[in-house]
Amino acid sequence: MAIIGIDLGTSNSAAAVLRGGRPVIIPSAEGVSLGGKAFPSYVAVTLDGHILVGEPARRQAAANPEGTATAFKRRMGRREKIRLRDRDFSPEQLAAFLLQKIKQDADAFLGEPVEKAVVTVPAYFDDNQRSATKDACGIANIEVARLVNEPTAASLAYGIDRLGQDLRIAVIDLGGGTLDVTIMEFGKGVFEVKATSGDTQLGGTDMNQRLFTHLANRFQAATGVDIRGDRRAEMRLMEAAEIAKIELSTSTTTHISLPFFTVVGNEPRHLEDDLTRTDLERVVQPIIERCRGPVEQALRDAGRRPQEIDRLVFVGGPTRMPVVRTFFENLLGKSGETGVDPMECVACGAAIQAGVLAGEMGDIVLVDVTPLTLGVETLGGVATSLIARNTAILGERFLGNFLARRWVRTRRFAADFRNGWTSLTGCSRVASEPEARRSYESAPTSQFWQFTPCSVFPLP
């Protein structure tokens, strides 16, 4: 039974499997689309109630805006509903439809059923968002072998051919909806994350929205018609904005043509407009500038200066834009690497991790960190920080040191690292440092698993 790697993305998703020690991308049944071999992260409900997923859903989005959803990954972990026609769905349900589509095509590609997967998530996802991702996989009947941070997976794909080198790399993962910045060191098969930072509401979707607004304003200035509120016109213009953004990554000018764009007084209005790369760069510059803070924070937390970074690795579709690459290259003083595909490397890294779990690959050790500070509610309703962000995850040794260093009177608290850092369990209190040390050293390990689980929330 194969374990595959899945990159569940905001705009596009991808899957890969390890074959002969190398990751191989699993193509969608519809073949190459706007996102290459990826699965567009679209779900639609048609007029007759049928559900479309992936490329078929993306193709009909302009004609069926009220029944089409995308970018639902940004709403994972929130108690929200997304209405498609007369039906309400949670973001997890929509993600599950997409995962089922990936599983179906993977089954056909491999010739055997897929039951387990390593699934990637943005490094800055909090506990609710990670749990929501697992819930979506459960709905899709996929067992999550492990959740891996997206930039960590990308670094595995980059470093698999460089196991004999000692390198310190910066991974810039700017996708459709999220930004992650990770500083990592690897050598002799050990991949160690030093620090990570990011923004879960920053990505190519924000660039598309700003370009949409720019084009809508230009159309209104030229014709006096404001298309905002016309769902079909909005969807067509949003799609045209995304295509123009992609085209301007390789050319300096593009033409946008939308015949019969809207109707005013029973008269059709057409959109014909030329857009230059300079126009695009000016429009998206505020979005790009928001990336500066996470980069600087990751460097501070890692205790490194830009000149101490050996390699710069780009991940995600927006990093193909010349203005984006130039911004990060100037910020870090390094030219970006071209040895990895920014659209496929996350899925490939997930497949490598799946191979390690399945015993197909050895000599790889991954040391990740907690991206957010973890805390508990102490007496008085005060949020008390317990585990600082960018603390390495080292299993039971980490647990013992943590209990010995921290003694707080809480309602419930303690630990279960069987499923990673995302859950703390708890005893009623740890009264003193000596008592904490004695409790950990004398009690059988199994006793730590007998407490009722309680949630742990991230702190800024």
Side-chain angles (χ1 to χ4, degrees):
M1 180 181 63
I3 304 178
I4 66 172
I6 297 178
D7 171 18
L8 185 62
T10 304
S11 302
N12 292 283
S13 299
V17 65
L18 207 64
R19 284 282 181 85
R22 307 294 303 176
V24 176
I25 292 294
I26 298 173
S28 64
E30 292 75 23
V32 177
S33 66
L34 184 65
K37 296 180 181 179
F39 300 78
S41 298
Y42 281 74
V43 175
V45 176
T46 63
L47 276 171
D48 54 3
H50 287 91
I51 294 178
L52 302 177
V53 183
E55 182 62 17
R58 189 192 68 81
R59 289 173 183 164
Q60 56 83 69
N64 180 27
E66 63 277 0
T68 305
T70 186
F72 38 81
K73 174 182 174 179
R74 297 182 112 180
R75 302 165 75 173
M76 297 276 280
R78 303 179 186 177
R79 295 180 179 177
E80 297 182 5
K81 292 293 183 181
I82 300 173
R83 191 165 188 81
L84 300 182
R85 295 199 174 275
D86 58 347
R87 300 171 64 179
D88 290 331
F89 299 92
S90 68
E92 293 77 19
Q93 287 175 305
L94 296 178
F97 287 133
L98 181 59
L99 288 164
Q100 286 173 337
K101 164 64 172 171
I102 294 173
K103 181 181 185 301
Q104 175 184 335
D105 289 357
D107 289 347
F109 179 76
L110 298 174
E112 60 177 313
V114 172
E115 298 180 1
K116 290 185 178 182
V118 171
V119 183
T120 64
V121 293
Y124 239 50
F125 256 23
D126 61 25
D127 187 49
N128 288 338
Q129 292 166 309
R130 291 169 188 263
S131 296
T133 303
K134 289 183 177 180
D135 291 342
C137 292
I139 296 171
N141 199 28
I142 297 174
E143 180 183 344
V144 179
R146 182 165 297 176
L147 291 181
V148 177
N149 293 335
E150 290 171 1
T152 304
S155 67
L156 285 174
Y158 174 76
I160 193 66
D161 295 324
R162 301 168 176 84
L163 295 178
Q165 302 180 41
D166 292 327
L167 294 174
R168 182 180 297 117
I169 66 174
V171 180
I172 306 297
D173 182 0
L174 181 60
T178 60
L179 167 70
D180 287 317
V181 181
T182 294
I183 309 300
M184 169 177 282
E185 296 178 359
F186 67 81
K188 299 180 177 63
V190 177
F191 293 76
E192 183 177 2
V193 177
K194 290 299 183 182
T196 191
S197 183
D199 189 333
T200 59
Q201 300 296 319
L202 174 61
T205 301
D206 302 287
M207 298 181 186
N208 296 346
Q209 184 61 52
R210 285 189 65 88
L211 186 55
F212 164 86
T213 302
H214 174 73
L215 294 172
N217 289 341
R218 283 171 57 156
F219 182 75
Q220 184 176 7
T223 65
V225 178
D226 186 2
I227 58 94
R228 298 172 182 86
D230 184 340
R231 292 290 303 277
R232 293 198 177 191
E234 286 181 343
M235 186 65 79
R236 289 183 68 191
L237 187 57
M238 183 66 78
E239 183 179 359
E242 182 180 10
I243 293 173
K245 182 189 71 175
I246 294 172
E247 290 179 350
L248 289 174
S249 295
T250 54
S251 61
T252 57
T253 184
T254 187
H255 182 70
I256 300 173
S257 178
L258 296 175
F260 300 96
F261 182 46
T262 189
V263 177
V264 178
N266 293 326
E267 293 186 5
R269 299 295 177 90
H270 315 291
L271 187 152
E272 300 287 340
D273 202 352
D274 290 314
L275 190 69
T276 67
R277 182 184 290 177
T278 302
D279 294 333
L280 173 65
E281 292 176 353
R282 184 179 66 254
V283 169
V284 303
Q285 191 60 41
I287 302 298
I288 297 173
E289 280 296 330
R290 287 173 56 192
C291 300
R292 185 182 301 272
V295 174
E296 293 175 344
Q297 178 180 310
L299 288 170
R300 283 196 306 269
D301 290 349
R304 301 299 178 187
R305 296 172 297 171
Q307 51 267 38
E308 294 180 282
I309 302 299
D310 299 318
R311 299 285 190 274
L312 175 59
V313 178
F314 287 118
V315 181
T319 62
R320 288 177 167 174
M321 299 171 62
V323 64
V324 172
R325 296 181 72 92
T326 300
F327 173 82
F328 287 110
E329 288 173 349
N330 291 339
L331 191 59
L332 293 168
K334 293 284 185 302
S335 295
E337 292 288 296
T338 58
V340 292
D341 188 323
M343 297 292 288
E344 298 180 356
C345 60
V346 173
C348 290
I352 293 170
Q353 180 63 46
V356 172
L357 295 178
E360 298 178 35
M361 294 190 69
D363 302 326
I364 293 180
V365 178
L366 177 61
V367 180
D368 216 328
V369 299
T370 61
L372 299 167
T373 298
L374 302 181
V376 295
E377 179 186 356
T378 56
L379 291 179
V382 178
T384 300
S385 171
L386 296 178
I387 304 175
R389 70 170 184 263
N390 293 317
T391 298
I393 303 169
L394 299 175
E396 290 186 17
R397 179 181 300 178
F398 168 77
L399 167 63
N401 291 337
F402 160 70
L403 287 177
R405 289 197 309 266
R406 305 279 185 164
W407 55 99
V408 292
R409 187 181 299 270
T410 66
R411 292 179 180 175
R412 300 181 291 174
F413 136 91
D416 178 356
F417 282 89
R418 292 174 300 174
N419 297 319
W421 60 270
T422 57
S423 61
L424 281 186
T425 337
C427 35
S428 57
R429 69 183 181 90
V430 179
S432 64
E433 180 174 3
E435 181 179 340
R437 175 68 66 182
R438 288 194 302 271
S439 297
Y440 176 74
E441 292 179 348
S442 62
T445 303
S446 59
Q447 289 189 14
F448 285 94
W449 316 143
Q450 295 174 0
F451 304 103
T452 303
C454 65
S455 62
V456 176
F457 52 88
L459 301 174

